[in-house]
Amino acid sequence: PENVTNYELGLKLDALDSRLRFNAALYSMDYEDMQITITRQLNEINTASAIANAGQATMNGLEMELSYLPTANWFFQARANFIDAKYDEFDDIVRDPQGGEFVPIDRSDEDFAYLPEKTFSLVGQYTRDTSWGEFSARLSGAYKDDIYIGLEAGADASASSTLDGYTLWNARVAWRSASQHDIEVALYVDNLTDKEYFGTGNLQLSSQGTLTLVKGIERTYGVQASYRF
């Protein structure tokens, strides 16, 4: 079983007649026998993915959120997450290509897989009531830091084991009925700049060696209609 002890210190602040709100949380998580996904070479041909235990691990992080309403029409929000994660003890086994036997290996210097150290997001929205209904325009952006995609021992030695960070922008314009606010129609564009990026992947060095990358969703646009009841 996995055990974790979590320490957290939080702050919630409202100011300017509740038009400004700031939330923050500082935390530290100490893991024992942390359950993680790994890949192992079973023989000259076959590999397998399974759950294993990393003896000791520590995650220290900071989460912040700032919201601001300068007027009745404008809304802004910013979020930031920082995390420092490390293995204090991670003993695994690997197959010796010479003799075929399994030998111990220390993997405590590896990065956490699929865990970005930094993420940021920004939102700006303008809303206006008219005799035709409520109109709103929203622009949002999000940044995701580099991620490590190696599940196998030794994958961190390859430059291909890390995917670059990326920033995506989304836009949305919506109309809500003046007589029935439960009806809404919106136009949206996701990945506004048509950013080319890889969202995730996996690097495997053993056997024949494979690098699998999943391309991120390209620019997408459409119309949304909703009714709340």
Side-chain angles (χ1 to χ4, degrees):
E2 173 188 276
N3 295 281
V4 58
T5 303
N6 184 28
Y7 305 93
E8 183 171 329
L9 179 65
L11 170 69
K12 295 182 181 294
L13 173 67
D14 281 353
L16 303 178
D17 295 327
S18 296
R19 292 187 294 112
L20 178 67
R21 174 170 294 177
F22 177 72
N23 298 326
L26 182 67
Y27 63 89
S28 178
M29 306 174 71
D30 295 329
Y31 285 87
E32 292 185 8
D33 296 320
M34 184 180 192
Q35 295 182 356
I36 58 174
T37 301
I38 64 168
T39 299
R40 283 180 183 163
Q41 178 80 14
L42 301 181
N43 49 49
E44 294 181 358
I45 300 176
N46 300 317
T47 60
S49 294
I51 303 297
N53 291 112
Q56 301 283 340
T58 303
M59 289 187 183
N60 298 316
L62 173 64
E63 299 178 350
M64 296 183 293
E65 179 182 282
L66 178 67
S67 302
Y68 181 46
L69 289 83
T71 69
N73 302 106
W74 285 99
F75 170 75
F76 298 97
Q77 185 178 74
R79 294 179 177 177
N81 294 309
F82 305 91
I83 186 167
D84 177 27
K86 64 178 182 178
Y87 296 111
D88 302 307
E89 179 185 325
F90 184 6
D91 296 326
D92 196 10
I93 56 174
V94 295
R95 182 179 179 273
D96 184 352
Q98 302 298 326
E101 301 294 330
F102 285 94
V103 296
I105 187 174
D106 181 5
R107 299 180 60 179
S108 59
D109 288 337
E110 293 184 16
D111 292 330
F112 273 59
Y114 309 108
L115 183 66
E117 292 185 357
K118 299 183 291 291
T119 58
F120 305 99
S121 66
L122 293 171
V123 174
Q125 180 170 304
Y126 179 79
T127 304
R128 187 177 183 86
D129 283 317
T130 70
S131 58
W132 293 87
E134 180 188 86
F135 291 87
S136 64
R138 180 185 182 95
L139 179 66
S140 61
Y143 168 78
K144 184 178 181 180
D145 203 8
D146 302 349
I147 60 170
Y148 175 63
I149 60 171
L151 299 178
E152 184 182 26
D156 56 331
S158 171
S160 300
S161 64
T162 301
L163 295 185
D164 293 335
Y166 57 87
T167 301
L168 299 179
W169 292 95
N170 303 322
R172 188 174 188 270
V173 178
W175 167 82
R176 184 173 294 176
S177 171
S179 58
Q180 294 185 356
H181 277 213
D182 295 330
I183 299 176
E184 183 181 84
V185 179
L187 304 175
Y188 71 91
V189 182
D190 292 338
N191 192 0
L192 186 63
T193 62
D194 203 17
K195 173 73 174 180
E196 293 185 358
Y197 67 100
F198 292 108
T200 187
N202 178 249
L203 174 66
Q204 182 177 304
L205 299 180
S206 57
S207 187
Q208 297 179 346
T210 59
L211 174 62
T212 303
L213 299 176
V214 179
K215 189 175 181 181
I217 299 175
E218 59 189 13
R219 182 191 293 129
T220 306
Y221 54 88
V223 178
Q224 294 175 331
S226 63
Y227 175 74
R228 299 179 184 177
F229 56 89

mmCIF file of all heavy atoms in Angstrom, residues 123-163:
data_model
loop_
_atom_site.group_PDB
_atom_site.id
_atom_site.type_symbol
_atom_site.label_atom_id
_atom_site.label_comp_id
_atom_site.label_asym_id
_atom_site.label_seq_id
_atom_site.Cartn_x
_atom_site.Cartn_y
_atom_site.Cartn_z
ATOM 1 N N VAL A 123 -7.176 34.386 -17.595
ATOM 2 C CA VAL A 123 -8.522 34.533 -18.154
ATOM 3 C C VAL A 123 -8.914 36.008 -18.097
ATOM 4 O O VAL A 123 -8.714 36.676 -17.073
ATOM 5 C CB VAL A 123 -9.566 33.704 -17.371
ATOM 6 C CG1 VAL A 123 -10.972 34.004 -17.888
ATOM 7 C CG2 VAL A 123 -9.266 32.226 -17.484
ATOM 8 N N GLY A 124 -9.437 36.506 -19.199
ATOM 9 C CA GLY A 124 -10.012 37.844 -19.243
ATOM 10 C C GLY A 124 -11.387 37.770 -19.889
ATOM 11 O O GLY A 124 -11.540 37.153 -20.955
ATOM 12 N N GLN A 125 -12.393 38.368 -19.244
ATOM 13 C CA GLN A 125 -13.757 38.280 -19.778
ATOM 14 C C GLN A 125 -14.470 39.614 -19.641
ATOM 15 O O GLN A 125 -14.377 40.275 -18.605
ATOM 16 C CB GLN A 125 -14.539 37.188 -19.043
ATOM 17 C CG GLN A 125 -15.982 37.027 -19.542
ATOM 18 C CD GLN A 125 -16.664 35.804 -18.987
ATOM 19 O OE1 GLN A 125 -16.171 34.684 -19.137
ATOM 20 N NE2 GLN A 125 -17.803 35.994 -18.325
ATOM 21 N N TYR A 126 -15.192 39.974 -20.700
ATOM 22 C CA TYR A 126 -16.017 41.185 -20.695
ATOM 23 C C TYR A 126 -17.468 40.771 -20.907
ATOM 24 O O TYR A 126 -17.784 40.034 -21.852
ATOM 25 C CB TYR A 126 -15.584 42.144 -21.799
ATOM 26 C CG TYR A 126 -16.421 43.399 -21.856
ATOM 27 C CD1 TYR A 126 -16.212 44.450 -20.958
ATOM 28 C CD2 TYR A 126 -17.430 43.545 -22.806
ATOM 29 C CE1 TYR A 126 -16.970 45.597 -20.998
ATOM 30 C CE2 TYR A 126 -18.199 44.695 -22.861
ATOM 31 C CZ TYR A 126 -17.963 45.713 -21.955
ATOM 32 O OH TYR A 126 -18.733 46.853 -22.000
ATOM 33 N N THR A 127 -18.363 41.246 -20.042
ATOM 34 C CA THR A 127 -19.789 40.923 -20.115
ATOM 35 C C THR A 127 -20.599 42.203 -20.138
ATOM 36 O O THR A 127 -20.299 43.154 -19.391
ATOM 37 C CB THR A 127 -20.213 40.073 -18.894
ATOM 38 O OG1 THR A 127 -19.396 38.904 -18.826
ATOM 39 C CG2 THR A 127 -21.671 39.657 -19.008
ATOM 40 N N ARG A 128 -21.626 42.231 -20.991
ATOM 41 C CA ARG A 128 -22.459 43.436 -21.108
ATOM 42 C C ARG A 128 -23.923 43.050 -21.304
ATOM 43 O O ARG A 128 -24.247 42.200 -22.146
ATOM 44 C CB ARG A 128 -21.998 44.309 -22.257
ATOM 45 C CG ARG A 128 -22.714 45.657 -22.342
ATOM 46 C CD ARG A 128 -22.150 46.505 -23.459
ATOM 47 N NE ARG A 128 -22.785 47.812 -23.509
ATOM 48 C CZ ARG A 128 -22.394 48.861 -22.794
ATOM 49 N NH1 ARG A 128 -21.361 48.746 -21.972
ATOM 50 N NH2 ARG A 128 -23.013 50.025 -22.886
ATOM 51 N N ASP A 129 -24.792 43.651 -20.520
ATOM 52 C CA ASP A 129 -26.234 43.450 -20.656
ATOM 53 C C ASP A 129 -26.813 44.473 -21.628
ATOM 54 O O ASP A 129 -26.511 45.671 -21.534
ATOM 55 C CB ASP A 129 -26.928 43.594 -19.302
ATOM 56 C CG ASP A 129 -26.741 42.364 -18.433
ATOM 57 O OD1 ASP A 129 -26.863 41.247 -18.968
ATOM 58 O OD2 ASP A 129 -26.472 42.526 -17.230
ATOM 59 N N THR A 130 -27.628 43.985 -22.555
ATOM 60 C CA THR A 130 -28.305 44.861 -23.509
ATOM 61 C C THR A 130 -29.770 44.439 -23.586
ATOM 62 O O THR A 130 -30.187 43.444 -22.994
ATOM 63 C CB THR A 130 -27.665 44.763 -24.907
ATOM 64 O OG1 THR A 130 -27.970 43.483 -25.480
ATOM 65 C CG2 THR A 130 -26.153 44.946 -24.835
ATOM 66 N N SER A 131 -30.537 45.208 -24.348
ATOM 67 C CA SER A 131 -31.942 44.855 -24.535
ATOM 68 C C SER A 131 -32.099 43.570 -25.342
ATOM 69 O O SER A 131 -33.159 42.936 -25.333
ATOM 70 C CB SER A 131 -32.674 45.998 -25.246
ATOM 71 O OG SER A 131 -32.065 46.268 -26.502
ATOM 72 N N TRP A 132 -31.025 43.163 -26.035
ATOM 73 C CA TRP A 132 -31.046 41.932 -26.821
ATOM 74 C C TRP A 132 -30.615 40.718 -25.997
ATOM 75 O O TRP A 132 -30.717 39.583 -26.463
ATOM 76 C CB TRP A 132 -30.108 42.074 -28.022
ATOM 77 C CG TRP A 132 -30.578 43.091 -29.013
ATOM 78 C CD1 TRP A 132 -30.332 44.438 -29.013
ATOM 79 C CD2 TRP A 132 -31.405 42.860 -30.146
ATOM 80 N NE1 TRP A 132 -30.922 45.055 -30.072
ATOM 81 C CE2 TRP A 132 -31.601 44.094 -30.801
ATOM 82 C CE3 TRP A 132 -32.004 41.712 -30.698
ATOM 83 C CZ2 TRP A 132 -32.363 44.231 -31.953
ATOM 84 C CZ3 TRP A 132 -32.767 41.840 -31.853
ATOM 85 C CH2 TRP A 132 -32.941 43.087 -32.455
ATOM 86 N N GLY A 133 -30.105 40.954 -24.824
ATOM 87 C CA GLY A 133 -29.611 39.858 -23.994
ATOM 88 C C GLY A 133 -28.225 40.175 -23.455
ATOM 89 O O GLY A 133 -27.717 41.293 -23.593
ATOM 90 N N GLU A 134 -27.628 39.193 -22.838
ATOM 91 C CA GLU A 134 -26.294 39.357 -22.265
ATOM 92 C C GLU A 134 -25.240 38.827 -23.232
ATOM 93 O O GLU A 134 -25.303 37.685 -23.688
ATOM 94 C CB GLU A 134 -26.198 38.601 -20.936
ATOM 95 C CG GLU A 134 -24.833 38.717 -20.266
ATOM 96 C CD GLU A 134 -24.706 37.819 -19.058
ATOM 97 O OE1 GLU A 134 -24.335 36.633 -19.235
ATOM 98 O OE2 GLU A 134 -24.994 38.290 -17.939
ATOM 99 N N PHE A 135 -24.250 39.669 -23.545
ATOM 100 C CA PHE A 135 -23.143 39.284 -24.414
ATOM 101 C C PHE A 135 -21.869 39.189 -23.581
ATOM 102 O O PHE A 135 -21.634 40.028 -22.698
ATOM 103 C CB PHE A 135 -22.952 40.292 -25.542
ATOM 104 C CG PHE A 135 -24.054 40.297 -26.552
ATOM 105 C CD1 PHE A 135 -25.190 41.078 -26.350
ATOM 106 C CD2 PHE A 135 -23.965 39.530 -27.698
ATOM 107 C CE1 PHE A 135 -26.220 41.095 -27.282
ATOM 108 C CE2 PHE A 135 -24.994 39.536 -28.640
ATOM 109 C CZ PHE A 135 -26.122 40.319 -28.430
ATOM 110 N N SER A 136 -21.034 38.198 -23.876
ATOM 111 C CA SER A 136 -19.762 38.049 -23.168
ATOM 112 C C SER A 136 -18.678 37.607 -24.138
ATOM 113 O O SER A 136 -18.934 36.829 -25.067
ATOM 114 C CB SER A 136 -19.878 37.049 -22.015
ATOM 115 O OG SER A 136 -20.175 35.754 -22.499
ATOM 116 N N ALA A 137 -17.479 38.120 -23.929
ATOM 117 C CA ALA A 137 -16.310 37.741 -24.722
ATOM 118 C C ALA A 137 -15.213 37.302 -23.755
ATOM 119 O O ALA A 137 -14.929 37.999 -22.771
ATOM 120 C CB ALA A 137 -15.831 38.898 -25.582
ATOM 121 N N ARG A 138 -14.608 36.167 -24.034
ATOM 122 C CA ARG A 138 -13.648 35.574 -23.104
ATOM 123 C C ARG A 138 -12.398 35.132 -23.849
ATOM 124 O O ARG A 138 -12.486 34.496 -24.906
ATOM 125 C CB ARG A 138 -14.293 34.374 -22.398
ATOM 126 C CG ARG A 138 -13.415 33.640 -21.395
ATOM 127 C CD ARG A 138 -14.156 32.410 -20.894
ATOM 128 N NE ARG A 138 -13.422 31.650 -19.899
ATOM 129 C CZ ARG A 138 -13.581 31.798 -18.591
ATOM 130 N NH1 ARG A 138 -14.446 32.687 -18.124
ATOM 131 N NH2 ARG A 138 -12.882 31.065 -17.739
ATOM 132 N N LEU A 139 -11.243 35.477 -23.295
ATOM 133 C CA LEU A 139 -9.962 35.031 -23.832
ATOM 134 C C LEU A 139 -9.194 34.366 -22.691
ATOM 135 O O LEU A 139 -9.057 34.936 -21.607
ATOM 136 C CB LEU A 139 -9.156 36.208 -24.380
ATOM 137 C CG LEU A 139 -7.774 35.875 -24.961
ATOM 138 C CD1 LEU A 139 -7.902 35.011 -26.213
ATOM 139 C CD2 LEU A 139 -6.987 37.151 -25.277
ATOM 140 N N SER A 140 -8.705 33.153 -22.939
ATOM 141 C CA SER A 140 -7.985 32.423 -21.904
ATOM 142 C C SER A 140 -6.722 31.799 -22.483
ATOM 143 O O SER A 140 -6.682 31.409 -23.653
ATOM 144 C CB SER A 140 -8.867 31.335 -21.283
ATOM 145 O OG SER A 140 -9.270 30.393 -22.262
ATOM 146 N N GLY A 141 -5.706 31.733 -21.667
ATOM 147 C CA GLY A 141 -4.443 31.117 -22.075
ATOM 148 C C GLY A 141 -3.912 30.232 -20.966
ATOM 149 O O GLY A 141 -4.151 30.482 -19.782
ATOM 150 N N ALA A 142 -3.183 29.181 -21.344
ATOM 151 C CA ALA A 142 -2.640 28.247 -20.360
ATOM 152 C C ALA A 142 -1.267 27.779 -20.814
ATOM 153 O O ALA A 142 -1.060 27.456 -21.997
ATOM 154 C CB ALA A 142 -3.569 27.054 -20.166
ATOM 155 N N TYR A 143 -0.335 27.763 -19.868
ATOM 156 C CA TYR A 143 1.022 27.273 -20.138
ATOM 157 C C TYR A 143 1.271 26.011 -19.334
ATOM 158 O O TYR A 143 0.929 25.921 -18.153
ATOM 159 C CB TYR A 143 2.068 28.321 -19.757
ATOM 160 C CG TYR A 143 3.483 27.773 -19.749
ATOM 161 C CD1 TYR A 143 4.175 27.578 -20.939
ATOM 162 C CD2 TYR A 143 4.109 27.433 -18.550
ATOM 163 C CE1 TYR A 143 5.464 27.056 -20.936
ATOM 164 C CE2 TYR A 143 5.393 26.917 -18.539
ATOM 165 C CZ TYR A 143 6.067 26.733 -19.729
ATOM 166 O OH TYR A 143 7.342 26.217 -19.730
ATOM 167 N N LYS A 144 1.861 25.009 -19.981
ATOM 168 C CA LYS A 144 2.245 23.760 -19.321
ATOM 169 C C LYS A 144 3.723 23.532 -19.555
ATOM 170 O O LYS A 144 4.199 23.558 -20.691
ATOM 171 C CB LYS A 144 1.426 22.590 -19.889
ATOM 172 C CG LYS A 144 1.691 21.267 -19.208
ATOM 173 C CD LYS A 144 0.804 20.167 -19.788
ATOM 174 C CE LYS A 144 1.030 18.826 -19.097
ATOM 175 N NZ LYS A 144 0.148 17.773 -19.675
ATOM 176 N N ASP A 145 4.461 23.302 -18.487
ATOM 177 C CA ASP A 145 5.912 23.158 -18.542
ATOM 178 C C ASP A 145 6.312 21.818 -19.180
ATOM 179 O O ASP A 145 5.463 20.963 -19.455
ATOM 180 C CB ASP A 145 6.464 23.257 -17.117
ATOM 181 C CG ASP A 145 7.924 23.681 -17.098
ATOM 182 O OD1 ASP A 145 8.460 24.032 -18.163
ATOM 183 O OD2 ASP A 145 8.533 23.656 -16.011
ATOM 184 N N ASP A 146 7.631 21.653 -19.378
ATOM 185 C CA ASP A 146 8.163 20.406 -19.917
ATOM 186 C C ASP A 146 7.703 19.216 -19.071
ATOM 187 O O ASP A 146 7.545 19.333 -17.849
ATOM 188 C CB ASP A 146 9.692 20.422 -19.923
ATOM 189 C CG ASP A 146 10.258 21.579 -20.727
ATOM 190 O OD1 ASP A 146 9.489 22.241 -21.441
ATOM 191 O OD2 ASP A 146 11.476 21.813 -20.620
ATOM 192 N N ILE A 147 7.528 18.063 -19.712
ATOM 193 C CA ILE A 147 7.208 16.850 -18.970
ATOM 194 C C ILE A 147 8.144 15.719 -19.400
ATOM 195 O O ILE A 147 8.577 15.639 -20.556
ATOM 196 C CB ILE A 147 5.736 16.398 -19.154
ATOM 197 C CG1 ILE A 147 5.427 16.122 -20.630
ATOM 198 C CG2 ILE A 147 4.783 17.406 -18.556
ATOM 199 C CD1 ILE A 147 4.075 15.441 -20.835
ATOM 200 N N TYR A 148 8.463 14.872 -18.440
ATOM 201 C CA TYR A 148 9.301 13.693 -18.663
ATOM 202 C C TYR A 148 8.391 12.516 -19.030
ATOM 203 O O TYR A 148 7.370 12.278 -18.365
ATOM 204 C CB TYR A 148 10.087 13.399 -17.386
ATOM 205 C CG TYR A 148 10.919 12.141 -17.419
ATOM 206 C CD1 TYR A 148 11.965 12.007 -18.318
ATOM 207 C CD2 TYR A 148 10.666 11.097 -16.530
ATOM 208 C CE1 TYR A 148 12.737 10.853 -18.342
ATOM 209 C CE2 TYR A 148 11.435 9.948 -16.540
ATOM 210 C CZ TYR A 148 12.463 9.828 -17.451
ATOM 211 O OH TYR A 148 13.229 8.684 -17.470
ATOM 212 N N ILE A 149 8.724 11.771 -20.091
ATOM 213 C CA ILE A 149 7.836 10.720 -20.585
ATOM 214 C C ILE A 149 8.480 9.339 -20.529
ATOM 215 O O ILE A 149 8.060 8.426 -21.236
ATOM 216 C CB ILE A 149 7.376 11.018 -22.027
ATOM 217 C CG1 ILE A 149 8.573 11.117 -22.984
ATOM 218 C CG2 ILE A 149 6.543 12.289 -22.074
ATOM 219 C CD1 ILE A 149 8.180 11.190 -24.449
ATOM 220 N N GLY A 150 9.469 9.161 -19.673
ATOM 221 C CA GLY A 150 10.120 7.861 -19.554
ATOM 222 C C GLY A 150 9.583 7.065 -18.381
ATOM 223 O O GLY A 150 9.561 7.552 -17.256
ATOM 224 N N LEU A 151 9.151 5.846 -18.619
ATOM 225 C CA LEU A 151 8.691 4.956 -17.561
ATOM 226 C C LEU A 151 9.690 3.835 -17.294
ATOM 227 O O LEU A 151 9.532 3.062 -16.359
ATOM 228 C CB LEU A 151 7.335 4.337 -17.928
ATOM 229 C CG LEU A 151 6.181 5.305 -18.144
ATOM 230 C CD1 LEU A 151 4.920 4.550 -18.540
ATOM 231 C CD2 LEU A 151 5.933 6.130 -16.890
ATOM 232 N N GLU A 152 10.726 3.759 -18.104
ATOM 233 C CA GLU A 152 11.703 2.677 -18.032
ATOM 234 C C GLU A 152 13.019 3.197 -17.467
ATOM 235 O O GLU A 152 13.405 4.346 -17.706
ATOM 236 C CB GLU A 152 11.923 2.112 -19.440
ATOM 237 C CG GLU A 152 12.852 0.926 -19.500
ATOM 238 C CD GLU A 152 13.040 0.465 -20.936
ATOM 239 O OE1 GLU A 152 12.889 1.291 -21.852
ATOM 240 O OE2 GLU A 152 13.338 -0.715 -21.135
ATOM 241 N N ALA A 153 13.704 2.375 -16.712
ATOM 242 C CA ALA A 153 15.000 2.754 -16.153
ATOM 243 C C ALA A 153 15.972 3.125 -17.269
ATOM 244 O O ALA A 153 16.081 2.428 -18.276
ATOM 245 C CB ALA A 153 15.561 1.601 -15.331
ATOM 246 N N GLY A 154 16.653 4.250 -17.104
ATOM 247 C CA GLY A 154 17.628 4.685 -18.095
ATOM 248 C C GLY A 154 17.075 5.587 -19.171
ATOM 249 O O GLY A 154 17.838 6.145 -19.973
ATOM 250 N N ALA A 155 15.763 5.772 -19.214
ATOM 251 C CA ALA A 155 15.170 6.610 -20.258
ATOM 252 C C ALA A 155 15.597 8.071 -20.121
ATOM 253 O O ALA A 155 15.627 8.804 -21.114
ATOM 254 C CB ALA A 155 13.653 6.506 -20.209
ATOM 255 N N ASP A 156 15.945 8.493 -18.899
ATOM 256 C CA ASP A 156 16.327 9.897 -18.687
ATOM 257 C C ASP A 156 17.652 10.245 -19.358
ATOM 258 O O ASP A 156 17.998 11.415 -19.468
ATOM 259 C CB ASP A 156 16.389 10.201 -17.192
ATOM 260 C CG ASP A 156 17.329 9.281 -16.448
ATOM 261 O OD1 ASP A 156 17.513 8.127 -16.892
ATOM 262 O OD2 ASP A 156 17.883 9.702 -15.420
ATOM 263 N N ALA A 157 18.393 9.238 -19.823
ATOM 264 C CA ALA A 157 19.656 9.509 -20.509
ATOM 265 C C ALA A 157 19.442 10.007 -21.934
ATOM 266 O O ALA A 157 20.373 10.515 -22.561
ATOM 267 C CB ALA A 157 20.518 8.245 -20.528
ATOM 268 N N SER A 158 18.225 9.874 -22.440
ATOM 269 C CA SER A 158 17.923 10.283 -23.811
ATOM 270 C C SER A 158 17.315 11.680 -23.840
ATOM 271 O O SER A 158 16.473 12.019 -22.999
ATOM 272 C CB SER A 158 16.951 9.288 -24.457
ATOM 273 O OG SER A 158 16.487 9.768 -25.704
ATOM 274 N N ALA A 159 17.737 12.475 -24.814
ATOM 275 C CA ALA A 159 17.167 13.819 -24.972
ATOM 276 C C ALA A 159 15.708 13.764 -25.384
ATOM 277 O O ALA A 159 14.967 14.728 -25.196
ATOM 278 C CB ALA A 159 17.971 14.596 -26.021
ATOM 279 N N SER A 160 15.271 12.628 -25.933
ATOM 280 C CA SER A 160 13.879 12.485 -26.370
ATOM 281 C C SER A 160 12.927 12.175 -25.223
ATOM 282 O O SER A 160 11.725 12.028 -25.433
ATOM 283 C CB SER A 160 13.777 11.372 -27.420
ATOM 284 O OG SER A 160 14.559 11.651 -28.557
ATOM 285 N N SER A 161 13.450 12.072 -24.000
ATOM 286 C CA SER A 161 12.605 11.696 -22.863
ATOM 287 C C SER A 161 11.817 12.868 -22.298
ATOM 288 O O SER A 161 11.018 12.686 -21.383
ATOM 289 C CB SER A 161 13.470 11.098 -21.752
ATOM 290 O OG SER A 161 14.383 12.062 -21.245
ATOM 291 N N THR A 162 12.018 14.056 -22.826
ATOM 292 C CA THR A 162 11.327 15.247 -22.323
ATOM 293 C C THR A 162 10.592 15.943 -23.456
ATOM 294 O O THR A 162 11.179 16.207 -24.514
ATOM 295 C CB THR A 162 12.315 16.228 -21.671
ATOM 296 O OG1 THR A 162 12.994 15.574 -20.598
ATOM 297 C CG2 THR A 162 11.582 17.440 -21.123
ATOM 298 N N LEU A 163 9.324 16.249 -23.241
ATOM 299 C CA LEU A 163 8.537 17.017 -24.205
ATOM 300 C C LEU A 163 8.561 18.489 -23.814
ATOM 301 O O LEU A 163 8.459 18.835 -22.633
ATOM 302 C CB LEU A 163 7.084 16.531 -24.232
ATOM 303 C CG LEU A 163 6.839 15.112 -24.724
ATOM 304 C CD1 LEU A 163 5.340 14.836 -24.791
ATOM 305 C CD2 LEU A 163 7.478 14.889 -26.082
#
